[in-house]
Each structure stands twice: as C-alpha cells, then as structure tokens.
Amino acid sequence: MSIEAQAGTTSTALVGRCLCGAVTIRVAEHDPELRVCHCAMCRRWTGSLYAMFAAGPEGLEIDGPVTRYRSSAFSERAFCGSCGSHLWLRDDGDEAYELMPGLFEAARAFPLVSEIYTDRAIAALRLPGEHTRHTRSEYEACNPFVSEEDLP
Ligand SMILES: [Zn+2]
Ligand SMILES: [Zn+2]
C-alpha cells in the first residue's frame, strides 16, 4: 500500500514497543498523521483495520526479534516473532516504513487524514470525520494492489 505518505515532516523522536517488549523501534523523522486501509489483506492481517503513520529510514533503529512476511510482489509486512504484534508494512522501492501507531504512545494524538477501501470496511469500523476517503475502485485505479479475489 502506498497512500500518498510523505515521511519526515516532523523530527520529534518517538519510541515504540510491541506487546511483549522484545521489539523496540526508535523513530527520528515521521509524518504525524494516521492513514487507514480496509482492504482484504489489511483486514486479514490486522483482524480489523490497518492504521499507520509514515517514518523515514534516517535515524530509525529497530531492535528485537522481527519476522518479515512477504505479503505481495511489492511489499513486506513485519511482526514481532515472540508476541506477534504488527510492526510495519513497507513497499519495495519506498524508503518509508508504515508503522503501527499502537506501538507508540505519542501516536495516540495523531489526526486521521486518509481512509482507503472504505467500501470494503467492516461496517462498524467505518470512521467518522472530515478526512480524505477513497473506495476500492478509486484507489485501485491509480495504485498498485493485490486483488482480493486472488487471495488464498
Ligand atoms: Zn513482542
Ligand atoms: Zn490495505
């Protein structure tokens, strides 16, 4: 997924931890905004909806037992090998990490700016507010994607 993320607009250092504490992520530069995806892959991976904020690789420090899963021909998803907490999604050729906001206490205050695959959301998890919204067809018309009909 690449949803027009612009990493590196804020330089406040953040520290995040997985549920068991084995993985620590230190972020130097990040975009203090949340973006949400409701596509079939994100629904399966998260069990509900996918939310992220973008962080550039400069100054990013990752410690602990990270497991990477090749989720598509163009991206990987990472999780803690001990407790299974989701950590990030990263597209090939895109330097930015899409980090899970729940790992970072400071991210609780980030505003929601974008929601995609709105027509594929779990109905109770559609989000209110004035942020940008795109349906599946609107998003897939101009971004790389994995068709949900092709999932196992
Ligand atoms: Zn863990
Ligand atoms: Zn998605």
Side-chain angles (χ1 to χ4, degrees):
M1 184 178 70
S2 71
I3 39 182
E4 302 156 29
Q6 292 281 325
T9 58
T10 294
S11 57
T12 308
L14 304 180
V15 179
R17 288 183 180 79
C18 68
L19 180 60
C20 76
V23 174
T24 302
I25 303 175
R26 287 184 173 76
V27 177
E29 296 184 346
H30 68 283
D31 186 2
E33 301 174 332
L34 296 190
R35 297 163 190 275
V36 162
C37 181
H38 300 282
C39 83
M41 295 181 75
C42 287
R43 275 184 281 121
R44 285 197 195 182
W45 190 48
T46 64
S48 53
L49 59 75
Y50 169 87
M52 70 81 160
F53 68 97
E58 301 81 19
L60 193 82
E61 294 176 29
I62 300 161
D63 289 310
V66 173
T67 301
R68 290 171 168 80
Y69 171 66
R70 191 78 190 157
S71 57
S72 77
F74 55 86
S75 62
E76 69 170 23
R77 297 180 190 239
F79 57 94
C80 172
S82 296
C83 70
S85 295
H86 304 137
L87 303 172
W88 68 77
L89 184 155
R90 199 177 188 201
D91 284 346
D92 297 348
D94 184 354
E95 297 273 277
Y97 288 71
E98 299 185 2
L99 294 170
M100 304 295 102
L103 308 175
F104 298 83
E105 184 66 20
R108 293 178 59 217
F110 293 177
L112 176 63
V113 297
S114 168
E115 191 179 5
I116 61 172
Y117 286 82
T118 50
D119 55 332
R120 304 299 299 141
I122 293 171
L125 298 180
R126 294 186 187 118
L127 302 173
E130 296 305 308
H131 54 276
T132 300
R133 291 181 176 82
H134 292 293
T135 63
R136 176 186 179 184
S137 62
E138 288 168 345
Y139 180 80
E140 293 184 354
C142 49
N143 293 280
F145 64 93
V146 175
S147 176
E148 68 178 59
E149 289 78 14
D150 291 338
L151 295 182

